Amino acid sequence: MTKTLTKAKDFKKSKSGTYVSIATTAFGALGVAKRIKKARSEQDTLRLIDATVAAVGIVTGLAVLYRELKRLGDDDVLLG
């Protein structure tokens, strides 16, 4: 396997890959916010609970990604 291909495979383990994951997870929060707003306006308790659980999952995912970003520190795969 070439060095470039190895770097591409390790993109998720890099700072850049972690930033992309954080951005996509945060973008997913917009959809959940819309679901919560719609459930509240329709007074649908079950959908509100579902959207709230999804929101908790997003917050947990962001926390895990933030921890991974801190753990990477200066040991970025793509830089060296």
Side-chain angles (χ1 to χ4, degrees):
M1 201 176 321
T2 65
K3 188 175 182 180
T4 306
L5 187 57
T6 303
K7 282 186 176 184
K9 282 185 82 174
D10 291 335
F11 180 70
K12 282 183 87 175
K13 298 177 185 175
S14 69
K15 278 189 174 184
S16 302
T18 305
Y19 283 127
V20 169
S21 295
I22 288 171
T24 56
T25 304
F27 186 72
L30 297 175
V32 172
K34 287 180 184 179
R35 286 173 40 197
I36 289 174
K37 186 176 179 180
K38 184 177 179 182
R40 291 182 77 188
S41 69
E42 295 176 355
Q43 296 180 349
D44 189 344
T45 306
L46 190 57
R47 285 189 183 180
L48 183 60
I49 292 170
D50 179 51
T52 304
V53 169
V56 169
I58 287 176
V59 169
T60 304
L62 286 172
V64 168
L65 288 169
Y66 178 72
R67 182 182 67 188
E68 184 65 26
L69 188 63
K70 285 179 63 175
R71 187 178 296 161
L72 281 174
D74 295 331
D75 299 332
D76 194 354
V77 174
L78 294 179
L79 293 178

